[in-house]
Amino acid sequence: MSTPEKHEKTESRSCEETVAQAQAPIEHGALKVTAPKDSAAGVEAVFSTVKHAQREMGLISGLSLLSKLNQKDGFSCPGCAWPDPKERSSIAEYCENGAKAVAEEATRKALDAEFFRQHSVEELAAWSDFRIGKSGRLTQPMIKKSGSSHYESLTWEQAFDVIATHLRRLDSPDEAAFYTSGRTSNEAAFLYQLFVRMLGTNNLPDCSNLCHESSGAALTETLGIGKGSVTLEDFERAELILVVGQNPGTNHPRMLSALEKAKRNGCHIVSINPLPEAGLKRFKNPQRLSGYLGGGTQLADMHLPVKINGDVPLLKGVLKCLLAGHEQGPEAWINEAFIEDRTEGYEAFVADLKQESFDLCVEESGITLEQMEELAALIGRSQRIICCWAMGLTQHKNAVSNIQLLVNLLLLKGSIGIPGGGTCPVRGHSNVQGDRTMGIWEIPQPAFMEKLKQRFAFEPPMRTGYNTVQAIKAMHAGKVRFFMSMGGNLVSAGPDTEYTAAAIRQVDLTVCVSTKLNRAHLVTGREALILPCLVRSERDVQEGGVQFVSLENSMSIVQSSEGRADPISDDLLSESAIVAGIAERTLSPNGGVDWLHLVGDYDRIRDHIEATIPGFDRYNERVRQPDGFTLPNCNREGRFDTDTGKAKFTVHAIESMGLAADEYLMMTIRSHDQYNTTIYGMDDRYRGVYNDRRVVFMNKGDVQRAGLTSGEAVDIVNRHGGQERVAVSFLVVPYPIPPQCIATYFPEANVLVPIDSTARKSHTPTSKSVVVTLRPSTVTP
């Protein structure tokens, strides 16, 4: 890469400079533990929504803004990617946690230069994540210069110049990495990847690398597309829905309405998860009178409390039972015609199942043979089957195997590509799927690269870039010297917190495009920029007038989103405008693209998307339709775009964790009062935990065997690779979870997730399979 001035490498920070702490301080509230709730939503969710709206936005303004949330003439939720129904409630087309997400971003508390003059980075890093997040909205660009203890303000032009100078000094464009969170719009994501590739690298790690990358890898290999196949209407037609490794009541609450409709239509619902979750027991729909006065709708007919990472033995046991029932019973429990005509690998799959031991399946899953037979009978009698899953399946060493066994189940039944049946990976961030569609991927796809080449007259790089874990390792090794994050909080969201923080501190410049203060602004490179952007609920005015953006939800529907509120500051830019400003200053001469002209009217960006990405024909016309449009999906259309044109059965071995008597398998989870790394409060209402987040959920028998008591403080220790990682002072909470399984909240427990323990094929950190021991804590409440 051409360098107008020679870069001088800085080996380390100055001895005088203080390093901000990467982990939140150890703080305990007055822990209160009650019985877990047996239902989700209802009047408590309504009260919680009103409380958060009033606290952050004011009651009248808050409710007025929320009335536009997920409406056809409004803005899309910045939370999860669950699709909007065609018929939307005029009362409230949002959930409690969606309202929290909007309130959090639309707060009227503002952070300006005076705030940063009063508080050093070291002081802010000593605050809890909750306090940091509640400080207010970022309102102007800020810079922390090398060796400085405080941020100070600068103009946008100055910020763009700082970035351009650093990028031009790199010896290679591969010394830069550009991370993306799942909230980035289609328009901004397309511009972002275009700029990065014109710069000359494919280092485009993103949040999908941390969550559903395993889903994409598993589905693409077996079905020919990395996206789910079902639509919202399929839920109303389904006979059986399996919800595996997922807690929709907290993470995707609007999914409960779809499950309720399915249930009312006679569908059976089965929950498979180590923890029983309130949202899959009963749903008190706040849009129905029964949601306030009655007991709500029972959802799950069966709950199977599988051991953490016991899904492979459970599913193999169920599939063995299904084959046995088909061979022995009078009814056909599998679809032989579909298997013969549309699939391959069936004989090897059956041979593997037949040699598998039921005893091993039972021992490793924690589920009895009788329960496996009961589920197999439900599957055998059903044709229209939907399999839903989330991070409970995707964050294990064998995550791809977990998902491909669900695919095997659906293939046995011929339940893909039919009304009421198919795959449903439930994604956690509002446009994470859309960002991948727009080209945010470290693996360059030849057809897309050729389209970019033809459209923009440049030679795109074809070297595979860094995924998120690889980018962290490259920063740690000094191979990446510039790191930009389009949203997100990688310091807290990434694995192995202290390793990730040490990696980021090696970087010359870190750049965060953000709406609220978070720990990624405090654990930084030698220099750091904060670039504040509009939130989704705010009006986006460019040269061509008020703009809207577009997003793709979990079911491949692309819809528009137009903010309605006045921005909290006149000094905010949209994500697209920020990318354009950086590209215009960095690329010479502008990469042949008039970046500032493009962001004057987002229709111009969408014209380029239409010309380079399949499925976006008449983009600007169709996205203006009230319900948007649905992207093509080969599985939904009855095709399998694999190398052979057939769906593929796969074979997977049972892998025993081999825990010692004093070891536990830990998974990280969310509380009901958080969204990803954003902490809304200190309670987890559905699980009956209040006033504290540093808790460890343990089997009651394990608590007794370990000689522990409820509320006792323990340190959690991981020794993967011979290195000791410690999460200090977690309070014991006895809970209905399988033996030798424990659960903790992230990001507090991310310090225990090893950087070099990742899923095969997808490279996703194994945040749901962390082997740990417990010891009495020296830090007590």
Side-chain angles (χ1 to χ4, degrees):
M1 188 174 183
S2 61
T3 57
E5 51 185 299
K6 182 65 178 176
H7 173 73
E8 296 181 4
K9 295 187 178 181
T10 305
E11 295 303 327
S12 61
R13 294 170 181 261
S14 72
C15 296
E16 293 79 16
E17 186 177 355
T18 303
V19 176
Q21 64 188 62
Q23 298 183 59
I26 300 167
E27 297 179 349
H28 286 294
L31 176 63
K32 174 185 173 184
V33 179
T34 66
K37 300 289 185 182
D38 60 4
S39 63
V43 67
E44 286 184 293
V46 175
F47 285 154
S48 176
T49 297
V50 172
K51 179 182 74 173
H52 280 82
Q54 181 174 17
R55 182 175 65 193
E56 301 294 343
M57 302 180 287
L59 184 59
I60 302 302
S61 297
L63 294 180
S64 174
L65 186 62
L66 289 174
S67 71
K68 292 296 184 181
L69 178 57
N70 296 322
Q71 297 295 341
K72 296 182 181 182
D73 62 344
F75 62 96
S76 294
C77 181
C80 80
W82 190 254
D84 301 318
K86 290 187 177 180
E87 298 300 323
R88 304 182 199 181
S89 169
S90 60
I91 302 173
E93 190 51 65
Y94 54 85
C95 67
E96 173 191 357
N97 280 355
K100 289 177 183 176
V102 171
E104 188 78 9
E105 289 194 337
T107 180
R108 304 320 291 171
K109 301 173 188 172
L111 298 185
D112 56 16
E114 181 59 30
F115 172 86
F116 289 100
R117 277 194 290 269
Q118 292 178 3
H119 303 290
S120 69
V121 169
E122 180 185 5
E123 177 191 350
L124 292 171
W127 291 6
S128 69
D129 291 332
F130 175 65
R131 184 181 178 188
I132 291 171
K134 290 299 181 184
S135 299
R137 279 286 300 284
L138 298 163
T139 59
Q140 60 189 117
M142 305 297 298
I143 185 170
K144 188 183 81 65
K145 296 178 180 178
S146 180
S148 175
S149 60
H150 289 68
Y151 275 97
E152 57 190 81
S153 63
L154 75 170
T155 66
W156 280 104
E157 289 74 18
Q158 290 170 330
F160 295 152
D161 281 341
V162 169
I163 294 170
T165 298
H166 275 269
L167 286 173
R168 288 173 178 169
R169 284 177 176 172
L170 298 176
D171 296 324
S172 162
D174 289 329
E175 292 181 331
F178 299 84
Y179 180 80
T180 311
S181 89
R183 58 151 290 155
T184 307
S185 69
N186 281 355
E187 292 76 10
F190 182 83
L191 285 188
Y192 193 46
Q193 65 81 29
L194 178 62
F195 160 63
V196 171
R197 290 185 164 116
M198 282 190 164
L199 186 69
T201 184
N202 284 306
N203 288 344
L204 285 161
D206 74 327
C207 64
S208 182
N209 299 152
L210 301 177
C211 55
H212 267 288
E213 197 69 50
S214 301
S215 297
L219 296 176
T220 300
E221 185 175 81
T222 54
L223 301 177
I225 186 171
K227 301 179 181 182
S229 66
V230 300
T231 66
L232 207 52
E233 290 71 32
D234 286 323
F235 277 74
E236 299 180 30
R237 302 167 178 166
E239 297 174 283
L240 174 63
I241 298 174
L242 305 185
V243 183
V244 191
Q246 186 192 359
N247 175 18
T250 287
N251 301 331
H252 315 92
R254 287 204 298 159
M255 181 179 174
L256 300 184
S257 297
L259 293 176
E260 181 187 45
K261 287 182 180 179
K263 191 69 177 177
R264 290 174 179 268
N265 290 339
C267 180
H268 287 88
I269 298 173
V270 176
S271 163
I272 301 174
N273 196 54
L275 296 175
E277 302 288 12
L280 287 169
K281 293 179 181 177
R282 304 189 74 86
F283 173 46
K284 294 183 176 181
N285 192 332
Q287 296 181 1
R288 298 177 183 272
L289 185 61
S290 61
Y292 298 89
L293 302 180
T297 303
Q298 178 186 336
L299 294 182
D301 301 278
M302 179 190 306
H303 171 64
L304 298 181
V306 65
K307 290 181 181 179
I308 294 174
N309 201 26
D311 303 280
V312 166
L314 168 60
L315 291 170
K316 292 192 78 170
V318 170
L319 292 171
K320 276 179 67 72
C321 293
L322 188 64
L323 288 177
H326 175 72
E327 293 171 355
Q328 299 167 9
E331 301 177 56
W333 278 14
I334 66 173
N335 190 330
E336 293 179 334
F338 178 88
I339 293 169
E340 176 68 24
D341 295 339
R342 308 299 309 283
T343 74
E344 62 183 15
Y346 176 69
E347 292 77 12
F349 160 75
V350 171
D352 175 69
L353 278 187
K354 288 188 174 180
Q355 62 82 35
E356 199 65 82
S357 160
F358 269 127
D359 289 342
L360 183 62
C361 293
V362 169
E363 178 184 354
E364 294 295 331
S365 69
I367 302 302
T368 67
L369 179 57
E370 290 73 22
Q371 290 172 305
M372 293 179 187
E373 290 173 337
E374 184 180 356
L375 176 54
L378 267 178
I379 295 168
R381 294 193 296 267
S382 304
Q383 176 68 26
R384 300 187 300 275
I385 303 171
I386 295 175
C387 289
C388 307
W389 69 89
M391 265 78 85
L393 290 193
T394 67
Q395 294 179 324
H396 303 277
K397 181 72 73 174
N398 57 346
V400 171
S401 297
N402 289 335
I403 298 158
Q404 290 186 341
L405 278 166
L406 286 179
V407 171
N408 286 345
L409 186 158
L410 293 169
L411 293 180
L412 277 178
K413 298 296 299 180
S415 295
I416 299 177
I418 63 171
T423 56
C424 185
V426 185
R427 302 185 188 272
H429 215 157
S430 56
N431 201 41
V432 63
Q433 184 163 300
D435 290 346
R436 180 56 58 87
T437 302
M438 292 298 105
I440 300 293
W441 199 8
E442 74 277 4
I443 303 175
Q445 301 301 292
F448 180 52
M449 296 298 103
E450 182 61 28
K451 288 285 189 180
L452 291 179
K453 176 182 178 180
Q454 294 173 3
R455 185 74 174 180
F456 297 102
F458 80 108
E459 198 68 46
M462 294 305 295
R463 303 176 303 279
T464 296
Y466 294 133
N467 61 37
T468 299
V469 168
Q470 290 167 341
I472 293 170
K473 288 183 175 182
M475 286 189 279
H476 200 276
K479 295 179 180 179
V480 164
R481 294 162 30 210
F482 174 97
F483 179 73
M484 179 172 173
S485 180
M486 182 65 73
N489 175 7
L490 186 60
V491 171
S492 296
D496 217 333
T497 307
E498 293 297 339
Y499 182 99
T500 296
I504 289 173
R505 294 187 188 112
Q506 295 294 317
V507 174
D508 291 339
L509 176 67
T510 48
V511 180
C512 291
V513 179
S514 306
T515 61
K516 300 283 294 290
L517 191 67
N518 65 50
R519 200 161 291 278
H521 306 128
L522 310 176
V523 177
T524 69
R526 297 178 182 90
E527 282 192 278
L529 283 171
I530 299 174
L531 305 183
C533 66
L534 297 168
V535 299
R536 199 167 289 166
S537 59
E538 289 175 328
R539 191 174 293 107
D540 182 354
V541 181
Q542 302 295 335
E543 181 186 15
V546 177
Q547 304 296 312
F548 68 85
V549 297
S550 55
L551 313 159
E552 179 187 345
N553 63 37
S554 268
M555 296 180 184
S556 303
I557 299 170
V558 179
Q559 292 177 297
S560 65
S561 173
E562 183 177 328
R564 297 294 177 172
D566 292 331
I568 193 172
S569 166
D570 293 333
D571 209 9
L572 301 178
L573 294 181
S574 71
E575 293 170 317
S576 294
I578 291 171
V579 174
I582 295 171
E584 191 270 337
R585 293 297 175 92
T586 304
L587 300 177
S588 179
N590 300 333
V593 175
D594 190 338
W595 297 92
L596 302 185
H597 176 72
L598 277 183
V599 295
D601 186 335
Y602 295 172
D603 278 0
R604 298 163 187 161
I605 305 172
R606 287 186 284 269
D607 284 341
H608 286 305
I609 295 172
E610 178 180 340
T612 53
I613 301 177
F616 285 85
D617 311 80
R618 305 186 349 264
Y619 192 178
N620 277 310
E621 173 190 342
R622 292 194 294 158
V623 77
R624 285 175 163 85
Q625 297 171 357
D627 293 312
F629 62 95
T630 303
L631 292 173
N633 184 297
C634 62
N635 294 173
R636 197 177 290 160
E637 298 157 9
R639 299 193 327 273
F640 301 109
D641 289 347
T642 63
D643 55 353
T644 61
K646 291 191 173 186
K648 300 184 179 185
F649 282 95
T650 48
V651 174
H652 304 280
I654 294 174
E655 302 175 37
S656 174
M657 296 305 299
L659 297 176
D662 65 340
E663 290 182 327
Y664 304 86
L665 196 60
M666 185 196 80
M667 65 177 184
T668 60
I669 59 176
R670 290 184 195 170
S671 84
H672 192 63
D673 246 359
Q674 76 178 95
Y675 181 73
N676 291 342
T677 59
T678 301
I679 311 302
Y680 301 137
M682 306 307 290
D683 299 336
D684 192 355
R685 186 174 78 243
Y686 289 163
R687 297 191 184 103
V689 175
Y690 299 86
N691 306 323
D692 209 322
R693 290 181 50 81
R694 298 187 76 88
V695 299
V696 52
F697 295 97
M698 291 184 67
N699 176 274
K700 185 177 180 180
D702 286 342
V703 173
Q704 294 172 344
R705 280 186 289 274
L708 300 171
T709 58
S710 178
E712 183 173 348
V714 296
D715 294 345
I716 311 175
V717 183
N718 168 268
R719 295 185 176 87
H720 180 88
Q723 177 185 343
E724 184 174 272
R725 302 168 182 84
V726 184
V728 177
S729 192
F730 280 66
L731 307 184
V732 172
V733 175
Y735 206 78
I737 186 171
Q740 287 193 275
C741 297
I742 64 174
T744 53
Y745 299 131
F746 72 85
E748 289 86 349
N750 280 2
V751 66
L752 299 167
V753 182
I755 187 69
D756 55 356
S757 177
T758 57
R760 292 187 290 272
K761 297 184 180 180
S762 70
H763 308 289
T764 299
T766 58
S767 301
K768 297 286 193 292
S769 284
V770 184
V771 177
V772 298
T773 57
L774 306 179
R775 67 190 184 199
S777 181
T778 56
V779 180
T780 57

